[in-house]
Amino acid sequence: MRIMLQLSTYGYKTYHSLAKNIKEQFPDSIFGITMSTPARSFIKKQTDIEYEIFDMDDFGSFGYDIEYDTLKDFEKNLSYKSLWRTISSDRGLGRAFLHGVVGYEYDQQNDYQHILTSFSIELTKIRKMINIFKPDIFIPPIAMGDFGVTIIEEVCKESNVLYLVPGSSRVKNYCAFSNNHQLTFPQIDYLTQKLLNNKIELDKTSAEKLFNE
């Protein structure tokens, strides 16, 4: 099983712990990671897991013109069919769409061509990373703020890679996994409604014990 982890600034120790637990259950697992700067020294010092490290900067900046056809094809697969909706969610380049918000001004280059070029480069880098490592599962962090979040989810879909976002369940040693960056759990909602309306029978003994604890 090939698993790729994306490590954030604050959650890298949690994800490393998750990787160690997966390794215990599935010893043949191979791990790749792409990470933020604060995680680098930790990952290089630890000896628990030999990670295959992917640095997005190693893929270069490409410096090509905007590939409009590639972006149009990507946009068609988005559930809301809007590339600019994805771009507006970016906490960096997306600030070009803010008006009258004090304290969040964006004084860097944000013209139309620069934004689409940046999107094209990010899309190319992520596709290249996925194609090189060929993960079975991609585990991204939560609360990331650039359009790479949406790009990764969509590239995983097109590459038939299982996209799983861990979400805290506020229960000791338990977490839930969502298959989308919005962290929705339709399967849990569906089952809960069934249970509340007594449409299915289920032994709730273990759940009641867990609730009491």
Side-chain angles (χ1 to χ4, degrees):
M1 183 164 57
R2 300 179 67 83
I3 302 171
M4 174 158 277
L5 303 167
Q6 184 182 14
L7 307 185
S8 65
T9 301
Y10 300 106
Y12 57 89
K13 290 183 180 180
T14 302
Y15 275 39
H16 177 64
S17 177
L18 173 63
K20 289 197 297 182
N21 279 275
I22 293 174
K23 189 73 172 178
E24 289 177 7
Q25 297 295 322
F26 306 97
D28 295 331
S29 296
I30 299 172
F31 294 90
I33 56 171
T34 177
M35 56 186 166
S36 61
T37 300
R40 294 184 187 281
S41 58
F42 173 82
I43 290 300
K44 289 181 179 180
K45 288 178 182 178
Q46 63 82 34
T47 57
D48 303 306
I49 294 179
E50 185 177 348
Y51 290 105
E52 188 172 339
I53 300 175
F54 290 85
D55 190 331
M56 298 294 277
D57 292 336
D58 290 343
F59 295 141
S61 59
F62 299 96
Y64 50 70
D65 294 330
I66 300 166
E67 295 188 1
Y68 287 102
D69 290 339
T70 299
L71 295 181
K72 286 179 180 178
D73 288 339
F74 182 83
E75 184 177 53
K76 289 176 183 176
N77 292 323
L78 293 172
S79 58
Y80 37 81
K81 311 299 180 188
S82 172
L83 191 70
W84 286 100
R85 176 173 169 179
T86 298
I87 292 169
S88 68
S89 69
D90 189 287
R91 65 185 172 195
L93 292 173
R95 291 185 186 180
F97 297 91
L98 286 176
H99 301 283
V101 181
V102 178
Y104 290 89
E105 299 85 356
Y106 188 69
D107 57 2
Q108 300 180 38
Q109 186 179 4
N110 57 12
D111 58 87
Y112 175 88
Q113 184 162 351
H114 174 69
I115 290 173
L116 289 185
T117 299
S118 299
F119 197 99
S120 296
I121 291 172
E122 187 77 0
L123 176 58
T124 301
K125 287 182 177 181
I126 289 171
R127 279 180 171 161
K128 189 171 184 178
M129 178 179 66
I130 295 295
N131 288 334
I132 291 174
F133 185 69
K134 293 180 170 51
D136 299 298
I137 301 173
F138 192 104
I139 302 178
I142 60 172
M144 300 298 279
D146 60 15
F147 46 55
V149 173
T150 301
I151 293 176
I152 288 173
E153 183 177 347
E154 293 301 320
V155 171
C156 283
K157 289 178 183 177
E158 69 184 36
S159 304
N160 200 28
V161 174
L162 189 59
Y163 178 92
L164 295 177
V165 190
S168 172
S169 62
R170 300 293 192 266
V171 178
K172 184 179 180 180
N173 295 330
Y174 282 87
C175 72
F177 286 93
S178 175
N179 66 351
N180 63 82
H181 70 270
Q182 295 292 339
L183 280 176
T184 60
F185 301 93
Q187 70 277 27
I188 295 177
D189 295 340
Y190 176 78
L191 179 60
T192 301
Q193 288 296 327
K194 290 281 189 180
L195 288 169
L196 289 174
N197 295 315
N198 295 315
K199 291 184 177 180
I200 58 175
E201 292 185 6
L202 184 69
D203 182 1
K204 305 183 186 69
T205 305
S206 60
E208 289 173 351
K209 181 175 180 294
L210 192 62
F211 177 80
N212 289 331
E213 288 178 359

